[in-house]
Amino acid sequence: MQRENLDKLNRKFEYLRISVTDKCNFRCKYCMPKENFGRDYQFLRRDELLTFEEIIRSVKIFQSAGLKKIRLTGGEPLLRKNVEKLVEGISSCSHIHKIAMTTNGSLFDKEVAHKLKESGLNEITISLDSLSEITRKSLNSSNINHSKVMNAIDLAIQHFGFVKINMVVVRGINDSDIINMIDNFKDSRIQLRFIEYMDVGETNNWNKKRVMTSDEIIKTIKQKYSLIQMTQEENATAEKWKFTDNTAELAFISSISKPFCSTCVRGRLSADGKFYTCLFSTEGYDFREILRNEQNDEKILTFFKSFWGERDDRYSELRYFDRNNKNKRNKIEMSYIGG
Ligand code: SAM
Ligand code: SF4
Ligand code: SF4
């Protein structure tokens, strides 16, 4: 890796999370509360979205700067029509080793699973915060039948051999579901991932008191199960643990209690083509403009390198030490920037 592909804190660029739509059919309280994302909310217009061709061209350009891994997200990525065509295009990029998708699972049926697998998707993550219909309805505010998401998990295992399940733990709402989730998903083909509730965006009314830290979650689990910590992979954002009597893995994403900014190799591309160097950025770099007006890919690469070289983001670390909330900023919504 050449020196010029490192940011100011010596971090490479290897991983891009692409939001393919800012729309969603769920209204999770911690992400798109229905009070703020109501009928009159202005989502992006179709002509504002990057086309699949524009996204694929961006990925091809970013490969030369070190990009290796893509996650398709949103909003709800399966609301974007023919998203498998995008997967197919990205999978033809020779430097991309892994294409993953995060979905709420509500639209993931047998046909979708088959098409995504055939187009080259490598991994799927399904979000599920509780097994209780009542808790899920209060947290995710959707009328989608719970059995659809459970069915999506089974289909993901059948087609991909493995599935990750994301559970955002919000104290006082679904922390009592932790053990139940483990009882149900303790399986070597499933990695259950506990995510600390984050202060993304400005609409979710985040309150630190609602955060259950990974250490607290692990302590809760240890009351029933015996766990051992696994060796940390390079640049991994998740801390992994496994059961002493089983090969199933658990992962903990602790961006509040143990920030991992020093190893953050991730960028984010919003559905309308803004590049963000941090989940908590307040402004993005306009890629759609340059993609639509510049024919020369080298010039676009130079544009990318110029701002990656200036990157010094470490919001979670600053938040961690910021007792007086001096780093408060107007943050961008998760559904738009790509969770
Ligand atoms: N709609 C898809 C889904 O829910 O899987 C993909 C987009 S969603 C923004 C991606 C992930 O971000 C989900 O697993 C969701 O639970 C997580 N997420 C959203 N808001 C969050 C928050 N405030 N704190 C922690 N995780 C959050
Ligand atoms: Fe939609 Fe995912 Fe956000 Fe929930 S977390 S509102 S499913 S984008
Ligand atoms: Fe990366 Fe920003 Fe999150 Fe830190 S706060 S880990 S720099 S996205």
Side-chain angles (χ1 to χ4, degrees):
M1 178 66 59
Q2 287 167 12
R3 178 67 188 87
E4 70 260 30
N5 289 341
L6 298 177
D7 72 7
K8 278 196 163 160
L9 303 177
N10 280 330
R11 297 168 300 187
K12 299 174 194 172
F13 168 56
E14 291 188 343
Y15 182 13
L16 182 65
R17 298 171 83 102
I18 304 175
S19 172
V20 293
T21 176
D22 59 335
K23 292 188 180 137
C24 188
N25 52 345
F26 281 19
R27 288 292 178 270
C28 304
K29 278 199 167 73
Y30 49 71
C31 177
M32 294 177 83
K34 60 173 186 278
E35 303 73 41
N36 301 82
F37 292 84
R39 279 178 190 278
D40 51 354
Y41 185 83
Q42 289 290 312
F43 289 99
L44 294 168
R45 294 187 316 270
R46 204 182 156 70
D47 62 309
E48 291 180 296
L49 300 182
L50 285 188
T51 63
F52 289 166
E53 290 71 26
E54 286 167 341
I55 298 176
I56 295 161
R57 182 175 173 214
S58 310
V59 171
K60 284 190 175 141
I61 295 169
F62 293 144
Q63 288 188 121
S64 318
L67 179 63
K68 293 187 181 132
K69 182 178 165 191
I70 302 279
R71 179 166 297 273
L72 300 177
T73 177
E76 174 45 45
L78 293 177
L79 283 176
R80 182 89 187 246
K81 217 170 152 212
N82 300 328
V83 70
E84 70 281 358
K85 300 272 178 239
L86 175 63
V87 175
E88 199 177 297
I90 296 174
S91 68
S92 70
C93 301
S94 54
H95 290 63
I96 304 301
H97 303 321
K98 188 166 174 184
I99 313 172
M101 178 183 281
T102 305
T103 168
N104 63 31
S106 62
L107 304 166
F108 189 83
D109 62 15
K110 202 171 172 181
E111 194 188 336
V112 171
H114 179 74
K115 278 191 198 162
L116 288 173
K117 177 72 188 164
E118 287 299 295
S119 354
L121 192 79
N122 305 109
E123 189 185 277
I124 194 112
T125 300
I126 295 179
S127 303
L128 178 70
D129 297 323
S130 170
L131 288 168
S132 141
E133 187 95 36
I134 299 166
T135 312
R136 262 170 44 78
K137 280 212 165 122
S138 82
L139 200 55
N140 309 116
S141 305
S142 81
N143 290 321
I144 310 284
N145 192 329
H146 177 57
S147 61
K148 282 208 169 176
V149 182
M150 295 302 278
N151 192 35
I153 292 172
D154 287 342
L155 284 169
I157 295 174
Q158 278 168 33
H159 287 79
F160 295 88
F162 179 73
V163 66
K164 291 181 177 172
I165 300 179
N166 277 356
M167 173 179 181
V168 178
V169 184
V170 185
R171 192 192 297 282
I173 301 190
N174 66 341
D175 49 331
S176 54
D177 293 275
I178 294 170
I179 295 291
N180 202 5
M181 288 283 281
I182 295 185
D183 291 345
N184 221 288
F185 296 120
K186 189 174 174 243
D187 181 320
S188 56
R189 300 165 302 169
I190 299 176
Q191 184 191 80
L192 189 52
R193 299 159 67 79
F194 297 95
I195 305 179
E196 289 180 353
Y197 174 30
M198 290 188 287
D199 53 338
V200 272
E202 295 293 326
T203 59
N204 66 5
N205 243 329
W206 185 82
N207 180 335
K208 204 169 180 182
K209 292 192 182 113
R210 289 274 184 200
V211 179
M212 187 155 176
T213 65
S214 295
D215 285 349
E216 289 175 300
I217 300 171
I218 291 167
K219 202 170 158 198
T220 304
I221 301 169
K222 281 185 170 172
Q223 286 169 10
K224 176 159 182 186
Y225 290 105
S226 168
L227 298 179
I228 41 166
Q229 189 165 5
M230 297 168 71
T231 320
Q232 187 85 356
E233 288 159 24
E234 201 199 356
N235 296 334
T237 51
E239 192 180 291
K240 286 208 254 168
W241 289 67
K242 67 184 181 71
F243 299 91
T244 48
D245 64 344
N246 177 298
T247 52
E249 285 176 5
L250 297 176
F252 299 86
I253 295 113
S254 325
S255 61
I256 304 290
S257 66
K258 297 176 203 168
F260 35 79
C261 300
S262 61
T263 56
C264 181
V265 293
R266 285 170 296 167
R268 289 183 152 82
L269 192 62
S270 68
D272 61 347
K274 298 256 178 14
F275 192 105
Y276 293 90
T277 53
C278 175
L279 177 58
F280 299 94
S281 295
T282 50
E283 272 175 57
Y285 297 88
D286 195 349
F287 251 77
R288 188 183 66 198
E289 173 74 13
I290 192 165
L291 284 164
R292 292 190 181 169
N293 295 307
E294 178 57 69
Q295 301 305 314
N296 186 332
D297 288 359
E298 274 302 316
K299 288 198 179 150
I300 302 181
L301 180 63
T302 306
F303 170 59
F304 169 76
K305 284 184 178 175
S306 68
F307 67 73
W308 189 266
E310 290 301 310
R311 178 183 187 247
D312 61 358
D313 304 287
R314 52 187 204 97
Y315 174 83
S316 293
E317 286 180 354
L318 295 174
R319 180 222 295 112
Y320 185 80
F321 294 110
D322 185 11
R323 303 285 172 226
N324 301 320
N325 211 11
K326 278 199 301 243
N327 288 298
K328 187 156 172 42
R329 49 178 84 174
N330 277 332
K331 291 166 282 155
I332 295 178
E333 296 304 316
M334 182 94 145
S335 51
Y336 164 77
I337 198 170

